[in-house]
Amino acid sequence: MQPRVQDLGKFSLPPNFRGRPAWFVQLWWIVQSTLFHCSPQFMYGWRNFLLRLFGARIGKGVIVRPTAEITYPWKLTIGDHVWIGDHVTLYTLGEIYIGDNACVSQYSYICAAAHDYLKPTFDIFARKVVIEPEVWLATHVFVAPGVTVGRGAVVGACSVVTKDVPPMTISAGNPARVLRPRPTDTNEDMLSSVGQQSR
């Protein structure tokens, strides 16, 4: 018989991994599936209020679409004038920071936790993800745990970001790699070839 490489029956969460009691987590998920997801699109202030109510730090002028998924709001920090597009997942099992004027386009997935597949107990761990100010993550971008996307960087559609992205660069691919610098005098035609805006 081959040795077992993954025994999920032996998995356990580290102490206080969620950062809140289990009942509080369940309460948020109920609120998210009802008051948050069912709110009309234009009610950005209402959704920001709910996120703040559950511990998120949300700046001014933030746009979060009603279809966005936030696992644990109390591990989320969003700066001013940030856009979070439709069906974006902020998998905040670890901390996620999104800086001012950043745009996270539709269906992107920012992941702040993973499992240690080298251990049969499939241990879970969290790694903070930092999206610095003025970043644009185009549609369907995946950002792995522990990654920092530098200020002003653009990440093209359907990219998989597994390591830090330098500031003021344009990256794309799986895994994402730097293609060229981002011009300071932004050309709209050039950006439209990278991905679609969420707004």
Side-chain angles (χ1 to χ4, degrees), residues 71-108:
T71 311
Y72 300 154
W74 48 93
K75 295 187 179 186
L76 176 64
T77 300
I78 297 179
D80 297 338
H81 305 293
V82 171
W83 298 352
I84 306 296
D86 278 310
H87 304 286
V88 166
T89 298
L90 303 179
Y91 195 56
T92 47
L93 298 192
E95 292 184 46
I96 292 177
Y97 169 83
I98 303 174
D100 297 348
N101 298 296
C103 174
V104 182
S105 293
Q106 58 271 23
Y107 292 99
S108 290

Tab-separated table of all heavy atoms in Angstrom, residues 71-108:
chain	number	residue	atom	x	y	z
A	71	THR	N	-14.242	36.964	2.031
A	71	THR	CA	-14.348	35.865	2.994
A	71	THR	C	-14.408	36.382	4.424
A	71	THR	O	-15.360	36.105	5.156
A	71	THR	CB	-13.170	34.892	2.830
A	71	THR	OG1	-13.018	34.560	1.451
A	71	THR	CG2	-13.421	33.618	3.625
A	72	TYR	N	-13.396	37.134	4.850
A	72	TYR	CA	-13.364	37.701	6.200
A	72	TYR	C	-13.099	39.212	6.073
A	72	TYR	O	-11.946	39.625	5.888
A	72	TYR	CB	-12.242	37.079	7.043
A	72	TYR	CG	-12.305	35.588	7.262
A	72	TYR	CD1	-11.146	34.863	7.507
A	72	TYR	CD2	-13.521	34.912	7.251
A	72	TYR	CE1	-11.190	33.499	7.737
A	72	TYR	CE2	-13.569	33.541	7.470
A	72	TYR	CZ	-12.395	32.836	7.709
A	72	TYR	OH	-12.432	31.489	7.926
A	73	PRO	N	-14.113	40.057	6.190
A	73	PRO	CA	-13.899	41.499	6.023
A	73	PRO	C	-12.891	42.089	7.001
A	73	PRO	O	-12.215	43.069	6.679
A	73	PRO	CB	-15.297	42.090	6.253
A	73	PRO	CG	-16.242	40.976	6.027
A	73	PRO	CD	-15.525	39.725	6.419
A	74	TRP	N	-12.805	41.540	8.195
A	74	TRP	CA	-11.912	42.083	9.218
A	74	TRP	C	-10.440	41.919	8.856
A	74	TRP	O	-9.578	42.475	9.537
A	74	TRP	CB	-12.206	41.440	10.576
A	74	TRP	CG	-12.314	39.938	10.543
A	74	TRP	CD1	-11.333	39.035	10.774
A	74	TRP	CD2	-13.510	39.186	10.265
A	74	TRP	NE1	-11.815	37.752	10.659
A	74	TRP	CE2	-13.152	37.820	10.350
A	74	TRP	CE3	-14.824	39.547	9.963
A	74	TRP	CZ2	-14.074	36.803	10.123
A	74	TRP	CZ3	-15.730	38.530	9.744
A	74	TRP	CH2	-15.370	37.179	9.832
A	75	LYS	N	-10.135	41.208	7.782
A	75	LYS	CA	-8.751	41.102	7.316
A	75	LYS	C	-8.523	41.882	6.019
A	75	LYS	O	-7.544	41.666	5.309
A	75	LYS	CB	-8.380	39.634	7.108
A	75	LYS	CG	-8.380	38.823	8.399
A	75	LYS	CD	-7.843	37.426	8.173
A	75	LYS	CE	-7.815	36.627	9.465
A	75	LYS	NZ	-7.162	35.302	9.294
A	76	LEU	N	-9.425	42.821	5.727
A	76	LEU	CA	-9.369	43.565	4.474
A	76	LEU	C	-9.154	45.057	4.731
A	76	LEU	O	-9.831	45.649	5.574
A	76	LEU	CB	-10.683	43.375	3.708
A	76	LEU	CG	-10.848	44.162	2.406
A	76	LEU	CD1	-9.811	43.724	1.368
A	76	LEU	CD2	-12.260	43.991	1.852
A	77	THR	N	-8.209	45.636	3.988
A	77	THR	CA	-7.991	47.075	4.004
A	77	THR	C	-8.025	47.584	2.562
A	77	THR	O	-7.305	47.065	1.707
A	77	THR	CB	-6.631	47.434	4.637
A	77	THR	OG1	-6.576	46.948	5.983
A	77	THR	CG2	-6.410	48.943	4.638
A	78	ILE	N	-8.884	48.576	2.300
A	78	ILE	CA	-9.021	49.168	0.973
A	78	ILE	C	-8.857	50.678	1.105
A	78	ILE	O	-9.490	51.308	1.960
A	78	ILE	CB	-10.392	48.841	0.343
A	78	ILE	CG1	-10.538	47.324	0.133
A	78	ILE	CG2	-10.572	49.565	-0.981
A	78	ILE	CD1	-11.878	46.910	-0.460
A	79	GLY	N	-8.027	51.265	0.254
A	79	GLY	CA	-7.781	52.701	0.274
A	79	GLY	C	-8.887	53.481	-0.406
A	79	GLY	O	-9.988	52.981	-0.649
A	80	ASP	N	-8.586	54.719	-0.764
A	80	ASP	CA	-9.571	55.617	-1.364
A	80	ASP	C	-9.732	55.363	-2.864
A	80	ASP	O	-8.761	55.039	-3.564
A	80	ASP	CB	-9.146	57.073	-1.170
A	80	ASP	CG	-9.093	57.490	0.291
A	80	ASP	OD1	-9.756	56.832	1.122
A	80	ASP	OD2	-8.382	58.467	0.596
A	81	HIS	N	-10.966	55.528	-3.340
A	81	HIS	CA	-11.289	55.501	-4.777
A	81	HIS	C	-10.826	54.208	-5.461
A	81	HIS	O	-10.246	54.229	-6.546
A	81	HIS	CB	-10.694	56.726	-5.477
A	81	HIS	CG	-11.128	58.017	-4.860
A	81	HIS	ND1	-12.432	58.467	-4.896
A	81	HIS	CD2	-10.427	58.938	-4.138
A	81	HIS	CE1	-12.511	59.623	-4.249
A	81	HIS	NE2	-11.324	59.926	-3.775
A	82	VAL	N	-11.086	53.104	-4.805
A	82	VAL	CA	-10.748	51.775	-5.338
A	82	VAL	C	-11.981	51.172	-6.000
A	82	VAL	O	-13.104	51.353	-5.520
A	82	VAL	CB	-10.240	50.852	-4.205
A	82	VAL	CG1	-10.089	49.410	-4.680
A	82	VAL	CG2	-8.915	51.375	-3.664
A	83	TRP	N	-11.778	50.451	-7.113
A	83	TRP	CA	-12.857	49.734	-7.793
A	83	TRP	C	-12.659	48.237	-7.615
A	83	TRP	O	-11.588	47.704	-7.927
A	83	TRP	CB	-12.868	50.038	-9.290
A	83	TRP	CG	-13.111	51.465	-9.659
A	83	TRP	CD1	-13.461	52.488	-8.833
A	83	TRP	CD2	-13.019	52.024	-10.977
A	83	TRP	NE1	-13.592	53.654	-9.544
A	83	TRP	CE2	-13.330	53.397	-10.864
A	83	TRP	CE3	-12.713	51.502	-12.235
A	83	TRP	CZ2	-13.322	54.253	-11.966
A	83	TRP	CZ3	-12.708	52.346	-13.332
A	83	TRP	CH2	-13.021	53.708	-13.190
A	84	ILE	N	-13.701	47.546	-7.135
A	84	ILE	CA	-13.718	46.083	-7.032
A	84	ILE	C	-14.840	45.596	-7.937
A	84	ILE	O	-16.016	45.839	-7.673
A	84	ILE	CB	-13.953	45.605	-5.579
A	84	ILE	CG1	-12.932	46.235	-4.622
A	84	ILE	CG2	-13.926	44.089	-5.513
A	84	ILE	CD1	-11.503	45.842	-4.883
A	85	GLY	N	-14.497	44.894	-9.011
A	85	GLY	CA	-15.445	44.555	-10.066
A	85	GLY	C	-16.362	43.383	-9.739
A	85	GLY	O	-16.262	42.737	-8.685
A	86	ASP	N	-17.247	43.099	-10.687
A	86	ASP	CA	-18.194	41.991	-10.541
A	86	ASP	C	-17.480	40.652	-10.391
A	86	ASP	O	-16.506	40.359	-11.097
A	86	ASP	CB	-19.119	41.931	-11.754
A	86	ASP	CG	-20.269	42.921	-11.648
A	86	ASP	OD1	-20.938	42.931	-10.600
A	86	ASP	OD2	-20.478	43.684	-12.608
A	87	HIS	N	-17.975	39.838	-9.451
A	87	HIS	CA	-17.505	38.457	-9.242
A	87	HIS	C	-16.033	38.381	-8.843
A	87	HIS	O	-15.399	37.331	-9.007
A	87	HIS	CB	-17.772	37.594	-10.479
A	87	HIS	CG	-19.201	37.566	-10.896
A	87	HIS	ND1	-20.169	36.864	-10.205
A	87	HIS	CD2	-19.844	38.198	-11.920
A	87	HIS	CE1	-21.342	37.048	-10.799
A	87	HIS	NE2	-21.174	37.859	-11.828
A	88	VAL	N	-15.487	39.458	-8.322
A	88	VAL	CA	-14.140	39.413	-7.739
A	88	VAL	C	-14.210	38.657	-6.419
A	88	VAL	O	-15.149	38.817	-5.634
A	88	VAL	CB	-13.595	40.840	-7.520
A	88	VAL	CG1	-12.373	40.832	-6.605
A	88	VAL	CG2	-13.261	41.488	-8.853
A	89	THR	N	-13.220	37.819	-6.164
A	89	THR	CA	-13.100	37.140	-4.878
A	89	THR	C	-11.889	37.678	-4.131
A	89	THR	O	-10.767	37.630	-4.646
A	89	THR	CB	-12.949	35.619	-5.051
A	89	THR	OG1	-14.121	35.094	-5.679
A	89	THR	CG2	-12.756	34.932	-3.707
A	90	LEU	N	-12.123	38.201	-2.941
A	90	LEU	CA	-11.052	38.595	-2.033
A	90	LEU	C	-11.003	37.536	-0.938
A	90	LEU	O	-11.779	37.567	0.014
A	90	LEU	CB	-11.320	39.988	-1.461
A	90	LEU	CG	-11.493	41.108	-2.500
A	90	LEU	CD1	-11.783	42.443	-1.817
A	90	LEU	CD2	-10.270	41.222	-3.408
A	91	TYR	N	-10.110	36.565	-1.126
A	91	TYR	CA	-10.047	35.393	-0.253
A	91	TYR	C	-9.187	35.744	0.959
A	91	TYR	O	-8.018	35.378	1.057
A	91	TYR	CB	-9.477	34.215	-1.033
A	91	TYR	CG	-9.668	32.864	-0.386
A	91	TYR	CD1	-10.932	32.395	-0.040
A	91	TYR	CD2	-8.573	32.026	-0.153
A	91	TYR	CE1	-11.098	31.146	0.529
A	91	TYR	CE2	-8.724	30.780	0.415
A	91	TYR	CZ	-9.992	30.350	0.759
A	91	TYR	OH	-10.160	29.102	1.321
A	92	THR	N	-9.820	36.471	1.880
A	92	THR	CA	-9.106	37.063	2.998
A	92	THR	C	-8.964	36.115	4.190
A	92	THR	O	-9.231	36.505	5.337
A	92	THR	CB	-9.820	38.359	3.447
A	92	THR	OG1	-11.226	38.096	3.556
A	92	THR	CG2	-9.589	39.496	2.500
A	93	LEU	N	-8.519	34.898	3.939
A	93	LEU	CA	-8.122	34.060	5.065
A	93	LEU	C	-6.861	34.637	5.699
A	93	LEU	O	-6.585	34.420	6.877
A	93	LEU	CB	-7.880	32.625	4.620
A	93	LEU	CG	-9.091	31.882	4.037
A	93	LEU	CD1	-8.798	30.394	3.908
A	93	LEU	CD2	-10.353	32.094	4.847
A	94	GLY	N	-6.071	35.352	4.900
A	94	GLY	CA	-5.000	36.201	5.386
A	94	GLY	C	-5.334	37.639	5.030
A	94	GLY	O	-6.345	37.913	4.383
A	95	GLU	N	-4.471	38.555	5.404
A	95	GLU	CA	-4.738	39.968	5.151
A	95	GLU	C	-4.580	40.310	3.670
A	95	GLU	O	-3.687	39.800	2.990
A	95	GLU	CB	-3.791	40.838	5.972
A	95	GLU	CG	-4.025	40.788	7.467
A	95	GLU	CD	-3.117	41.761	8.203
A	95	GLU	OE1	-2.994	42.921	7.766
A	95	GLU	OE2	-2.517	41.339	9.201
A	96	ILE	N	-5.466	41.175	3.187
A	96	ILE	CA	-5.352	41.744	1.846
A	96	ILE	C	-5.400	43.257	1.985
A	96	ILE	O	-6.308	43.802	2.627
A	96	ILE	CB	-6.466	41.251	0.912
A	96	ILE	CG1	-6.302	39.747	0.620
A	96	ILE	CG2	-6.470	42.048	-0.399
A	96	ILE	CD1	-7.400	39.160	-0.243
A	97	TYR	N	-4.419	43.906	1.385
A	97	TYR	CA	-4.365	45.369	1.354
A	97	TYR	C	-4.445	45.824	-0.096
A	97	TYR	O	-3.687	45.340	-0.949
A	97	TYR	CB	-3.069	45.879	1.984
A	97	TYR	CG	-2.839	47.359	1.750
A	97	TYR	CD1	-3.433	48.311	2.571
A	97	TYR	CD2	-2.055	47.798	0.678
A	97	TYR	CE1	-3.244	49.662	2.351
A	97	TYR	CE2	-1.860	49.152	0.451
A	97	TYR	CZ	-2.448	50.085	1.285
A	97	TYR	OH	-2.266	51.420	1.060
A	98	ILE	N	-5.360	46.764	-0.386
A	98	ILE	CA	-5.515	47.327	-1.725
A	98	ILE	C	-5.396	48.836	-1.604
A	98	ILE	O	-6.184	49.476	-0.903
A	98	ILE	CB	-6.862	46.927	-2.356
A	98	ILE	CG1	-6.997	45.396	-2.402
A	98	ILE	CG2	-6.992	47.504	-3.763
A	98	ILE	CD1	-8.353	44.899	-2.879
A	99	GLY	N	-4.401	49.414	-2.274
A	99	GLY	CA	-4.092	50.821	-2.122
A	99	GLY	C	-4.991	51.741	-2.928
A	99	GLY	O	-5.789	51.298	-3.768
A	100	ASP	N	-4.834	53.037	-2.700
A	100	ASP	CA	-5.643	54.065	-3.338
A	100	ASP	C	-5.640	53.943	-4.864
A	100	ASP	O	-4.597	53.648	-5.474
A	100	ASP	CB	-5.118	55.461	-2.983
A	100	ASP	CG	-5.194	55.778	-1.501
A	100	ASP	OD1	-5.844	55.032	-0.754
A	100	ASP	OD2	-4.581	56.796	-1.101
A	101	ASN	N	-6.806	54.192	-5.447
A	101	ASN	CA	-6.949	54.281	-6.907
A	101	ASN	C	-6.577	52.999	-7.653
A	101	ASN	O	-6.242	53.039	-8.835
A	101	ASN	CB	-6.118	55.459	-7.453
A	101	ASN	CG	-6.589	56.786	-6.906
A	101	ASN	OD1	-7.713	57.220	-7.149
A	101	ASN	ND2	-5.731	57.441	-6.117
A	102	ALA	N	-6.662	51.859	-6.961
A	102	ALA	CA	-6.426	50.569	-7.622
A	102	ALA	C	-7.736	50.067	-8.223
A	102	ALA	O	-8.826	50.363	-7.730
A	102	ALA	CB	-5.881	49.549	-6.633
A	103	CYS	N	-7.624	49.293	-9.290
A	103	CYS	CA	-8.780	48.709	-9.969
A	103	CYS	C	-8.588	47.200	-10.057
A	103	CYS	O	-7.616	46.727	-10.659
A	103	CYS	CB	-8.937	49.315	-11.365
A	103	CYS	SG	-10.244	48.544	-12.344
A	104	VAL	N	-9.501	46.443	-9.438
A	104	VAL	CA	-9.490	44.977	-9.514
A	104	VAL	C	-10.685	44.582	-10.373
A	104	VAL	O	-11.838	44.667	-9.936
A	104	VAL	CB	-9.579	44.348	-8.113
A	104	VAL	CG1	-9.519	42.824	-8.218
A	104	VAL	CG2	-8.460	44.871	-7.211
A	105	SER	N	-10.423	44.160	-11.593
A	105	SER	CA	-11.493	43.925	-12.564
A	105	SER	C	-12.208	42.601	-12.334
A	105	SER	O	-11.757	41.740	-11.568
A	105	SER	CB	-10.923	43.973	-13.985
A	105	SER	OG	-10.494	45.278	-14.298
A	106	GLN	N	-13.308	42.439	-13.058
A	106	GLN	CA	-14.242	41.346	-12.866
A	106	GLN	C	-13.577	39.970	-12.921
A	106	GLN	O	-12.658	39.737	-13.675
A	106	GLN	CB	-15.379	41.413	-13.902
A	106	GLN	CG	-14.931	41.371	-15.338
A	106	GLN	CD	-14.639	42.731	-15.924
A	106	GLN	OE1	-14.366	43.679	-15.201
A	106	GLN	NE2	-14.690	42.829	-17.238
A	107	TYR	N	-14.067	39.081	-12.052
A	107	TYR	CA	-13.656	37.682	-11.947
A	107	TYR	C	-12.215	37.490	-11.477
A	107	TYR	O	-11.701	36.359	-11.498
A	107	TYR	CB	-13.861	36.935	-13.286
A	107	TYR	CG	-15.311	36.762	-13.650
A	107	TYR	CD1	-15.919	37.639	-14.557
A	107	TYR	CD2	-16.087	35.760	-13.093
A	107	TYR	CE1	-17.261	37.504	-14.893
A	107	TYR	CE2	-17.426	35.620	-13.425
A	107	TYR	CZ	-18.006	36.498	-14.321
A	107	TYR	OH	-19.339	36.361	-14.652
A	108	SER	N	-11.546	38.534	-11.035
A	108	SER	CA	-10.208	38.349	-10.474
A	108	SER	C	-10.310	37.694	-9.095
A	108	SER	O	-11.335	37.780	-8.412
A	108	SER	CB	-9.475	39.683	-10.379
A	108	SER	OG	-9.148	40.164	-11.663
